[in-house]
Amino acid sequence: MPGLNQLLHAAKIGDGKILTGAKGLAPQTESVADFQRIPTYILPFDYATGGGIPCNVPTQFYGPYSAGKSTLSYLAARGLSRTCMRCLQPIAKCKCPVIDFAHVCPTCGKAKGECSHKSEPIELCSVCRKPRLVCTCKARMIQKTFLCHLEGMPPDDLYFRTLGYNSVDNLVIGLPEYGEQACEMIEAAVKSDDCGLVIVDSLAGLVSREEMDCAYEDAKVALQSRLIARLFRRISPILVREFRRGHLIGMIFLNQVRANIGGGRFDPTESTPGGWASKHGYRLSVRINQLSVDAASGEKEKADGMKNVGRFSVSMLGSEAK
């Protein structure tokens, strides 16, 4: 009787689909003890999360309104712009050579705008003429952030500059009209070589096209939950495929809290929109809240009386330790 490896390879599944042990899962490193992480450079947060936002797995920021969820995600985007995604080191400590990546025509090889071909330009290293993920020069790689904004108008550039973030060069904002279009934008951003972080703000604002077109008196049960479940089912294998080809990318889903109606005495009193499917997909879940100062512990109140203490609790699920 043939062995297991012979049976699997005889089935013509394809190269790279069958692994002996865990080798070959991460081609860019010989041994991975944990997920590579994108630092936010907020020391308490990075310490609590083991280094920052884990790559190629979904992360959730949730909490009440005005808790600081969006601001923390924008600070994570600022941390990405200050990190080389080739060596995962801060720009000040990065030793990778600084080489430009130019957009050229795949047909004639000329720069974008210098040829008459209508084909989509591709990004190549100006020295070795290879894409950034397989660049043999090991050039410094600064990735962009894609913000899928689902709640009205996104913040203006003044807000990002107040946070110390250069949004003009490092941020791409998508404003979908309905949930299915947002899912297509998210999937396309994950597959983009120059994208290092995807922020979805927020899952609670994800509204399907069917719900947008129906009348207010129509009952549409669990449309949002089914859409989010489909998004997580599709995005999980795509993230694994991107990781195997050396593309490190973080995913942050912002979510809100809702009162849990009904239930028993010891059931949780709050829930998050989207159903249970998304809860099984997260590998890092962070509950964020903004509280008043604690005078007993020595914290001082600001003169304007505003809340100025941000607190968060981190839940690293069991799958992250594997």
Side-chain angles (χ1 to χ4, degrees), residues 70-78 147 149 155 159-160 163 165 201:
S70 298
T71 302
L72 181 57
S73 64
Y74 300 152
L75 292 176
R78 183 190 66 177
L147 171 62
H149 203 276
Y159 182 72
F160 290 116
L163 296 177
Y165 179 47
D201 189 6

Side-chain angles (χ1 to χ4, degrees), residues 281-298:
Y282 299 127
R283 292 298 176 266
L284 176 64
S285 185
V286 184
R287 192 187 193 283
I288 304 170
N289 201 355
Q290 192 171 1
L291 306 174
S292 300
V293 298
D294 186 5
S297 62

